[in-house]
Amino acid sequence: MQPSDWPAVKAIYEQGIATKLATFETSAPDWSEWDAAYLEEHRLVAEEGGEVLGWAALLPTSRRPCYAGVTEDSVYVAEHARGRGVGRALLDRLLVDADRAGIWTIQASVFADNVTSIEFHKRCGFRVVGTRERIAQLDGVWRDTVLLERRGP
């Protein structure tokens, strides 16, 4: 992922936000805020014919040095590209790169009613750790999330 990909990445993120199934966020951040949050060496885009179809990135779960190898994934695919294996290709590559970098745990926090994402993560080697009930509100409604994790070799 390059900074020049940001407009397309942001648009895809905004599609995810609009579903109310992908994130507690209600608007996409600007580039500088997003750039400061995600690990620079673990950002990917999938392109076809120069068009960004999806993106994936890792976010550190903590600033404490003891958790340096624990991250959270984000995987988003453009509405018109869903069901074509784009998300799987992105996450598979992200996992390989994370293993090579010594990242030992990748977490995913998924809304409990987002069965598609939960099953997707399971197919990619994640296991369910548990459900966090009423963890936060979205639009004034308490939501549960399922915490999944994938341990590296």
Side-chain angles (χ1 to χ4, degrees):
M1 181 186 298
Q2 303 298 319
S4 60
D5 294 320
W6 177 244
V9 167
K10 182 180 179 185
I12 293 167
Y13 188 36
E14 288 170 336
Q15 289 175 0
I17 290 169
T19 69
K20 305 289 187 191
L21 285 174
T23 179
F24 282 104
E25 298 298 333
T26 56
S27 63
D30 64 23
W31 166 250
S32 62
E33 184 181 355
W34 191 94
D35 181 48
Y38 285 84
L39 297 173
E40 186 174 352
E41 60 277 10
H42 298 285
R43 304 171 182 183
L44 302 170
V45 292
E47 294 182 339
E48 181 178 73
E51 176 189 8
V52 175
L53 301 179
W55 63 273
L58 294 179
L59 178 72
T61 59
S62 175
R63 292 191 175 142
R64 295 176 61 196
C66 63
Y67 294 114
V70 182
T71 61
E72 181 175 345
D73 75 346
S74 291
V75 180
Y76 287 81
V77 176
E79 290 173 348
H80 71 279
R82 293 180 188 151
R84 296 176 41 198
V86 173
R88 180 65 189 248
L90 285 164
L91 187 53
D92 283 349
R93 173 65 186 274
L94 200 63
L95 296 175
V96 167
D97 291 349
D99 289 346
R100 287 183 182 148
I103 292 172
W104 60 84
T105 302
I106 299 175
Q107 298 176 352
S109 181
V110 180
F111 285 130
D113 54 340
N114 190 344
V115 177
T116 301
S117 184
I118 293 167
E119 292 304 316
F120 165 73
H121 278 87
K122 286 180 180 179
R123 286 191 307 274
C124 292
F126 286 70
R127 71 177 183 92
V128 172
V129 175
T131 300
R132 298 183 297 178
E133 297 175 357
R134 297 173 43 100
I135 192 72
Q137 291 186 23
L138 177 61
D139 296 333
V141 178
W142 286 104
R143 302 288 297 270
D144 299 346
T145 60
V146 175
L147 179 63
L148 299 103
E149 72 173 13
R150 187 260 192 189
R151 294 292 178 118

